[in-house]
Amino acid sequence: MHCSQRLYCFYFICFLSLMCPVLLPPPAESDCSCNITNSRCDEFGVCRCDPGWDGEQCERCVPTPGCLHGSCQQPWQCSCEPGWGGRFCDKDLLVCSEQQPCHNGATCVMEDSGDYTCLCPAGFHGKDCQLKTGPCHQRRTPCKNGGLCEDADGFAAELTCRCLAGFTGPRCETDVDDCVMKPCANGATCLDGTNRFSCLCPTGFTGRFCTVNVDDCASRPCLNAGRCLDRAGGFRCICRPGFTGTSCETPLGDVGKPPRTTGNSSHHGDRPLKVTVSERSTARLSEMQLILLLVLAGLTLGAVVLTAALVLQGHCRNCGTAPCWSSSSSQRGQTSVQRAQQDECHFLNAAEPEKKKLNTVVM
């Protein structure tokens, strides 16, 4: 835009601003009937009250909050009605004459604050002199362990004690044994206290009542990949092939050897379990050497048995009878005749050296 054009626009705007009040119509007269001392009218003709005033035309003052039987001339006042007093007009000034709250011949007196006081005669006390000076009030309470003394507001001939939980007796002097019902489980020891008890749990259990079984496998006591089975108060290890022991700590090749004590230990429950390893200075046979030795021993024993069988068979052939050796099942089935032949066979075998000797003499 050219400079002359901008100047022209500026003059035009100034002219309009001067001519607008002349062109606008005059404002209509307001019909607001508000109390101009306590409020004002808004653009819609509605009364807007000052603080402390209320009503459609803001003609009513607001009393003090909490004022019951009073009124106000100015905001936040509480002027009491007849027969009422106090800051909030909530005290009945005619209570002594109309209600007579004091008992047992006491005198009712009104105070400046609007409250009343009862002047009790001898032997009575309380706000309204309704309590008699009975056994509980005449001397120091005899109830022990926090017991409450009761004497029917002083009218009872003898006092009684209301005991707190955990105590009993005429004067609440006896502590109740909280372990009578045996609340502790699994053989735990119950410790009595003041209105409470505690359980001393055995090994392997925990909880308030010793009912929770401790997971003895949580510490992984089984060695060499053994499987742990949790039990009440302990654990059991199922060992892999080739291992044995309470915690699967001993290889099967080391069974029967004297242990070597080391500084390592594990725990079974709360008891320390010593894990020992043994060493021997002497050389031991390997597994292959042991198998070879057993095979040789078996072959030797078989040869001995076969040789004995052949010798017995040769003797029986010389006798001309059935073999003297047989299986255990055939021996059980022999007849009495076969037993006699065997006896004869043994007899001839014993006499054979004598026959040889005679033949030698004749020759």
Side-chain angles (χ1 to χ4, degrees), residues 145 164-167 175-178 191-198:
N145 299 310
L164 295 177
F167 296 95
D175 181 14
V176 176
D177 187 3
D178 299 289
L191 303 178
D192 181 39
T194 304
N195 195 27
R196 63 177 56 90
F197 66 89
S198 59

Side-chain angles (χ1 to χ4, degrees), residues 250-290:
T250 305
L252 288 176
D254 294 341
V255 175
K257 297 179 181 180
R260 180 191 67 178
T261 304
T262 63
N264 298 328
S265 64
S266 61
H267 285 79
H268 177 71
D270 292 336
R271 297 171 298 178
L273 175 65
K274 291 290 184 179
V275 179
T276 56
V277 181
S278 61
E279 287 186 354
R280 299 183 61 182
S281 58
T282 59
R284 61 183 181 185
L285 295 177
S286 64
E287 185 176 358
M288 185 60 68
Q289 291 175 341
L290 182 61

Side-chain angles (χ1 to χ4, degrees), residues 50-73:
D50 294 338
W53 297 93
D54 196 5
E56 293 183 358
Q57 298 180 352
C58 306
E59 76 283 357
R60 187 174 65 250
C61 64
V62 178
T64 302
C67 184
L68 296 180
H69 303 280
S71 60
C72 64
Q73 298 298 326

Side-chain angles (χ1 to χ4, degrees), residues 20-51:
C20 280
V22 178
L23 297 176
L24 291 176
E29 294 183 1
S30 175
D31 56 352
C32 181
S33 60
C34 299
N35 189 340
I36 60 175
T37 59
N38 304 328
S39 62
R40 62 181 179 82
C41 291
D42 60 6
E43 62 273 13
F44 301 103
V46 179
C47 295
R48 300 299 179 183
C49 301
D50 294 338

